[in-house]
Amino acid sequence: LCFLLKDDQVLLALKKRGFGVGNLNGVGGKLKSDETPEIAAVREINEEIGVAVEVTHLEKSAEIEFYFPHKPEWNLFCHTYLVRKWNGEPSESDEMKPQWFSQSKLPFESMWADDPHWLPLVLAGKKVRASFSFDDKNTVTDKAVQEVLVL
C-alpha cells in the first residue's frame, strides 16, 4: 500500500473493482510469488496509476494486519510506504481513479474504517505497527495501533 505525497497533499485512489471497491485508498496490491513487498509496490503503482517509482524512493511507514473473521480468505498483512519522488503524472486506470487531497482534510467517510486510526500518524512521519478486525459490514471491531522506531 503506497501513498504519494506532494506539498501538503496525499494521493488517494477510488477503487473501481475488486476488493475494497468504492473506497478511497492508497495504491497497491498483492505480491506475486517471486516479488518482495517493495518490488510489488513499484509494479502496482505503475499498473494502477501509471507512474514510475524506484524502490529506493519507498519509505516504509507501517505494517498492518487485517482480519475478517467472517471471511478469513480476506485476511492480509500489509506493508505501507510513503512516496515523495516519482516519474509521470498519476492517471486513471481500469482499477483506480487517483485524486489529490489535503492531508488535513482527508475524506475518511469514503475510506476504510481503520484509516483514521493510523494514517494521520504515518502522514505525520511516525512509523506504525497495527492490527484491525472487521465485522461483515466492514466496521472495525478490534484494533491495536503502536508507534515504533523501526519497521
Side-chain angles (χ1 to χ4, degrees):
L1 188 60
C2 300
F3 294 91
L4 277 64
L5 304 176
K6 71 173 182 181
D7 304 319
D8 73 334
Q9 295 186 311
V10 61
L11 187 81
L12 300 175
L14 178 67
K15 182 78 166 154
K16 295 167 51 178
R17 64 178 184 173
F19 185 72
V21 67
N23 287 331
L24 287 166
N25 202 359
V27 295
K30 295 180 182 172
L31 278 72
K32 293 183 178 176
S33 62
D34 61 339
E35 290 180 322
T36 65
E38 293 79 14
I39 296 296
V42 166
R43 176 184 51 77
E44 289 283 348
I45 290 170
N46 186 260
E47 289 175 0
E48 291 185 348
I49 60 168
V51 300
V53 174
E54 294 181 26
V55 169
T56 57
H57 294 139
L58 296 173
E59 302 171 27
K60 183 106 179 230
S61 56
E63 292 178 345
I64 307 171
E65 294 178 272
F66 297 100
Y67 298 101
F68 298 85
H70 66 286
K71 204 150 185 143
E73 64 270 22
W74 289 0
N75 293 351
L76 59 102
F77 183 88
C78 182
H79 300 267
T80 303
Y81 304 91
L82 298 179
V83 180
R84 299 173 201 276
K85 186 174 179 183
W86 61 89
N87 291 314
E89 282 299 315
S91 59
E92 186 172 353
S93 68
D94 61 348
E95 190 168 352
M96 303 291 274
K97 180 179 178 181
Q99 299 172 256
W100 290 102
F101 292 90
S102 169
Q103 290 186 36
S104 62
K105 296 180 183 171
L106 294 176
F108 287 119
E109 67 281 355
S110 299
M111 299 170 71
W112 280 92
D114 60 278
D115 289 343
H117 301 288
W118 65 270
L119 186 55
L121 294 170
V122 165
L123 294 176
K126 307 290 184 188
K127 296 195 182 305
V128 172
R129 222 176 247 126
S131 65
F132 296 92
S133 291
F134 293 85
D135 64 15
D136 60 356
K137 294 177 177 56
N138 290 331
T139 301
V140 173
T141 58
D142 191 34
K143 69 181 183 328
V145 179
Q146 178 183 17
E147 289 181 36
V148 296
L149 296 176
V150 179
L151 291 169

